[in-house]
Amino acid sequence: MSEQNGVSAVPTKANPPATPDNRPGMFRRIMSGSVGRNLGLVIALVLLVIVGTITAGDRFASYDNFLTILRLASIIGVISIGLTFVITAGGIDLSVGSVMGLATVVASLTAVQAAATQSSWILMVLIPLGVGIAAGLINGVVIAYGNVVAFMATLAMLVAARGLAELISGRRTQIVIETGFLQFTRSSIIGVPLLIWIFLVVAIVAWFLLNRTTFGRRTVAIGGNREASRLAGIRVKRHLVYVYVLSGLTAGIAGIMMLGRTTAGTSTHGTLYELDAIAAVVVGGTLLIGGRGTIVGTVLGVLIFSTLTNVFTQNNLDTSVQAITKGLIIVVAVLLQQRFATRGSSGT
């Protein structure tokens, strides 16, 4: 008979042995966690695919159409991944769409394209990243050290970034003519567009960062209880700045992708993308109140909305009905979140 800390390991009524009779309870606990939530999202995605196949036939169930779905999901997916970290930390970022639009405008300026032609097209990659990081840094400093509510700070950035983009571009669409940049962003690897590969790489890196690093654990801790995290020795304000910089960085990456896909920079790029990204993050299972985040869930949430849009498009259905359907999905997701949160608090 083994003992730990002087306590007998003899099974009791209060502490029953692990037997087949306990397995249903264990199964319920597993399914009520992230595995169950992700499985539910996978089932929802499969059902959408089945509906699309039945209603649209080969027009939907083709390899080219699946690539189209993934290509459309890639840009909003990268933005949503960055936003997942912000919401997990208990914040919000309403500026990601406008920052992406500003990044496309700055990178497509005639002077920038001329400099890229003379030096290297990589300049048109670095500038959107710099724009995104700068915007995220401003957001983070204002929120963390200026003690401004995240909603108001990022709303101000949304308006300012959009206005700056309009001012710089003169409200005109700027066409990308730098061939090196276009060849890079429009290239394919084993028949799959580069945009999809970028989305995949960003998702893998983000999953590792959130689930396997100290940075991710601190992000979850801050979202769960900011004051307790501070007392535990975490530099909360500095970490929040990092989180918003990360969100700005993903908006910059999305700007590069949008610039390559549309071959144009305009202040209208990214309009309402922040709402689509928040919807995907929430449907994916990240808590709006912070303290729990899931990259896999976010990716599935993005794919669900992208597939839903494609199904409606393939069947020539009204976009208003599509918007109503999206709204219902979001409401159901939030209600389920509240139910799980209440169940979790009552069980502790």
Side-chain angles (χ1 to χ4, degrees), residues 47-128:
L47 289 176
L48 278 176
V49 171
I50 293 173
V51 170
T53 303
I54 293 174
T55 57
D58 292 337
R59 285 182 293 115
F60 178 85
S62 65
Y63 178 72
D64 289 339
N65 188 55
F66 286 141
L67 285 183
T68 299
I69 293 173
L70 291 174
R71 193 183 299 113
L72 292 176
S74 61
I75 296 177
I76 192 67
V78 169
I79 291 178
S80 301
I81 287 170
L83 200 56
T84 300
F85 284 88
V86 174
I87 296 178
T88 301
I92 195 71
D93 190 350
L94 301 178
S95 67
V96 286
S98 296
V99 170
M100 187 196 78
L102 176 61
T104 65
V105 167
V106 175
S108 60
L109 288 172
T110 303
V112 173
Q113 294 196 60
T117 301
Q118 294 175 1
S119 56
S120 172
W121 59 265
I122 296 178
L123 181 64
M124 293 184 65
V125 173
L126 297 178
I127 284 182

Side-chain angles (χ1 to χ4, degrees), residues 48 60 69 72 276 302-317 319 322 326:
L48 278 176
F60 178 85
I69 293 173
L72 292 176
D276 288 339
V302 170
L303 291 177
I304 285 173
F305 281 123
S306 180
T307 305
L308 180 67
T309 299
N310 189 266
V311 170
F312 273 83
T313 302
Q314 293 288 347
N315 289 281
N316 297 317
L317 297 177
T319 56
Q322 177 183 329
K326 282 186 176 181

Side-chain angles (χ1 to χ4, degrees), residues 131-143:
V131 170
I133 290 172
L137 180 62
I138 294 172
N139 280 337
V141 170
V142 169
I143 292 167

Side-chain angles (χ1 to χ4, degrees), residues 341-348:
T342 304
R343 181 184 298 175
S345 61
S346 63
T348 56

Side-chain angles (χ1 to χ4, degrees), residues 209-228:
L209 189 62
L210 184 61
N211 296 282
R212 293 293 183 268
T213 67
T214 303
F215 180 88
R217 289 191 290 271
R218 288 176 177 174
T219 301
V220 174
I222 291 171
N225 192 319
R226 188 169 297 185
E227 181 61 20

